[in-house]
Amino acid sequence: MNESEKPALWDRYRDPDLTELSSRSEVIDLQLRHRSVRAYLPDPVPDQLLTAVVAAAQSASTTSNLQAWSVVVVRDDARKARLAGLAGGQAFIEQAPVLLVWLVDLARLRRLADDHGAPLAATDYLETTIIGFVDVGLAAQNAALAAESLGLGVVFIGAMRDNPEAVADELRLPPGTFAAFGMSLGFPDLTESAAVKPRLPQAAVVHHETYDLDKQPAAVAAYEERMASFYAEQELAVSWTQRVLNRLAGPQSLKGRDRIREALTAQGLPSR
Ligand SMILES: Cc1cc2nc3c(=O)[nH]c(=O)nc-3n(C[C@H](O)[C@H](O)[C@H](O)COP(=O)(O)O)c2cc1C
């Protein structure tokens, strides 16, 4: 086995049955090494890097080439601080030199229809909102991988949906747009004690021909064993299962996001 392969694949799964990939590439190696970065150096992110990251984002597939997303680049310290306050007070949002706020964007398409005096009634349906969320997720992940390939670090910020109306006010979002999530971007502070986080065994997520729910308990049990060693190294006490159960216990664990339907409607995004 190639020495540079083993650690990345091992760290990703800690699975004794999956220690080698016979097919690999530089892209896959980079993906295997991904970890969220929550500590940043103060060094600014040059505009040229940002342009390359956005080019990667725009290279993602997009439903019917609608390109129903946009991104707001926030560098202003005061604005970042206000947005951090709206997103659970997470300190890394202020520390990172750039905050990207990824938007579902139907406003551009509605403006296009207005300018042509054309109907756009399909945007009144939930399907079009789903298109926006799917496409912005694909674009943002392309951006994340591109950033990592340039030596930058990122973390996604779902907490940007904790207070959607206030985030919309802060960014002056017009009707038809919605902040799907944020992403901190900057050069990683390598003294951060963080590591590649193992994922579920492939047996849990890959089904052949038809779905098999009965294999899940064994796969999850194997994962818990591997995560126990990861959490011990990170000095974290709570198991994966307990984290999942806490995260999804009830509306209170959604931290304000139980109101997301109203917030979408207020921003002119449909849910029917
Ligand atoms: C859409 C999305 C929203 C997230 N929101 C947050 C967040 O608000 N705060 C945070 O610290 N991490 C957030 N994360 C990062 C996840 O916790 C992280 O990706 C996951 O634990 C796996 O760890 P890894 O990225 O290091 O592999 C988010 C990730 C995604 C994809």
Side-chain angles (χ1 to χ4, degrees), residues 12 34-36 38 90 92 155-159 197 199:
R12 180 55 72 215
H34 159 79
R35 70 168 178 85
S36 290
R38 297 182 180 85
Q90 302 185 84
F92 59 78
V155 60
F156 282 80
I157 307 161
K197 194 180 284 180
R199 296 295 196 260

Side-chain angles (χ1 to χ4, degrees), residues 3 8 19-20 37 75 81 119 124 144 166 174 181 198 205 261:
E3 267 317 295
T19 57
E20 194 168 356
V37 169
R75 294 181 187 271
D124 298 341
F181 46 80
V205 302
R261 184 191 290 268

